Amino acid sequence: MPDLDLLSTFLEIYRGGSITAAAARRGVSQPAVSGRLARLEEQIGEPLFRRSRRGAVPTERAYELARRIGTHLDELHDALGADDEAGRAHRGTVHLAGPSDLMALRVVPALAPLTARGLRLRITLGLAEELLAALAAARVDLVVSSVRPRLENISATPFADEEFVLVGPPALARTVDHGHLAEEPVRALAHLPLVAYGEELPIVRRYWRSEFGRRPPNPVAVTVPDLRAVLAAVVAGAGVSVLPRYLAEPAIAAGSVETLHQPAVRPLNTLYLATRGGGPANPAAAVVHRQLTERSREWELL
């Protein structure tokens, strides 16, 4: 059976997304962390991470191992009094930023249990580009981003995928000729007004280009930078839009909106946890990064 030191090192790599972050967190050298990981992988009999430009990418075996031991190992450290540093981290302050809808429906509920242990959250809402610029300028510690950051000195760890669906109110759905939709989807949908997240139609445009090969020619009825408000406008009959399935699913089940198009392959968008440099800026930010990485496995985004 692997010893606690090997398992603890594994969890630090898994939660921090890199061997560098794990070494800093445990106060040892990178070769020491690499050596412990190699011994654990030898004992288990298969690799736990793939090395890439994004850092240490967990394998399916790593996901399974982290789910099985993560909470138990944390509780053991607490019981033994060996996690004083982690206790102090839970009492820190983290400046977190992200899109309003995702923060409200997924991120804040996932982090709420940490506040009972003393963690303080200061949350900024906005669009990805402006929030990533705030991260680069050290005005926030961590950004939940729906686009892959490309700024210098910003690192990003992919942590979840969200599926998108094209939906509209029943009255507008009835105006779509399904035979025409199968043959010429852009023309079949062109009469439908759009409800969009922004003037550049970031989500809608991506869906049209990936599924239909071109930008939507549709008129734009409403733009609002909150996907919950986009859904509300669609339900009210203002137009059609592309939304994450987790957000649209209750309205689809209730019959308030209908799915207008069935892609052959589910259109997915990757969500990233972005930090400055090689990892979280402080122990409290590392706690938040770890919690979101683990809780995202439970989200019904895939």
Side-chain angles (χ1 to χ4, degrees):
M1 176 182 293
D3 66 33
L4 291 181
D5 186 50
L6 299 186
L7 293 175
S8 296
T9 300
F10 157 74
L11 275 180
E12 290 296 351
I13 301 170
Y14 177 85
R15 290 167 169 174
S18 75
I19 289 175
T20 301
R25 174 74 173 158
R26 295 188 65 79
V28 299
S29 67
Q30 291 184 42
V33 170
S34 297
R36 293 171 189 175
L37 175 60
R39 291 199 301 275
L40 180 60
E41 290 177 327
E42 182 179 358
Q43 293 179 24
I44 289 176
E46 58 184 294
L48 294 170
F49 298 95
R50 291 182 292 102
R51 278 63 167 180
S52 76
R53 289 178 298 175
R54 300 181 305 194
V57 180
T59 63
E60 286 301 319
R61 184 69 177 88
Y63 289 141
E64 177 189 354
L65 181 61
R67 283 194 295 266
R68 292 177 59 188
I69 72 170
T71 301
H72 300 296
L73 198 58
D74 289 340
E75 290 174 351
L76 180 59
H77 280 305
D78 287 339
L80 294 175
D83 208 10
D84 292 339
E85 182 182 352
R88 290 193 296 272
H90 279 85
R91 294 189 292 274
T93 299
V94 178
H95 294 267
L96 177 66
S100 57
D101 38 85
L102 184 64
M103 298 295 280
L105 296 175
R106 286 290 190 255
V107 173
V108 172
L111 297 177
L114 298 180
T115 63
R117 300 181 63 178
L119 186 77
R120 296 180 296 276
L121 295 172
R122 300 296 180 262
I123 295 175
T124 301
L125 305 175
L127 300 177
E129 290 78 8
E130 62 189 38
L131 297 181
L132 291 169
L135 176 64
R139 294 195 297 272
V140 299
D141 301 312
L142 185 66
V143 172
V144 179
S145 177
S146 58
V147 300
R148 184 174 182 178
R150 301 191 181 280
L151 295 175
E152 185 177 355
N153 201 35
I154 297 295
S155 299
T157 303
F159 78 110
D161 288 325
E162 52 187 356
E163 178 188 355
F164 285 98
V165 290
L166 174 59
V167 296
L172 287 179
R174 288 193 291 270
T175 69
V176 178
D177 184 312
H178 289 278
H180 192 193
L181 179 64
E183 297 175 0
E184 296 184 273
V186 174
R187 291 185 61 186
L189 299 170
H191 66 286
L192 298 172
L194 297 175
V195 181
Y197 188 77
E199 292 292 341
E200 294 300 315
L201 315 181
I203 300 173
V204 174
R205 185 183 70 245
R206 187 185 307 130
Y207 187 97
W208 248 255
R209 284 181 169 168
S210 66
E211 297 303 319
F212 310 136
R214 58 164 292 186
R215 199 184 158 97
N218 306 54
V220 179
V222 178
T223 62
V224 54
D226 187 309
L227 293 181
R228 295 164 299 175
V230 170
L231 176 60
V234 172
V235 169
V240 305
S241 194
V242 177
L243 292 165
R245 180 173 289 280
Y246 77 87
L247 177 61
E249 194 64 56
I252 295 173
S256 302
V257 300
E258 296 182 10
T259 303
L260 303 181
H261 176 248
Q262 298 291 345
V265 179
R266 294 183 303 163
L268 301 177
N269 182 60
T270 299
L271 301 173
Y272 297 89
L273 289 175
T275 61
R276 290 186 301 282
N282 55 62
V287 168
V288 170
H289 194 290
R290 178 186 313 153
Q291 179 82 349
L292 289 177
T293 300
E294 293 188 350
R295 289 295 302 274
S296 68
R297 317 293 179 205
E298 305 168 10
W299 296 352
E300 296 178 355
L301 297 181
L302 296 177

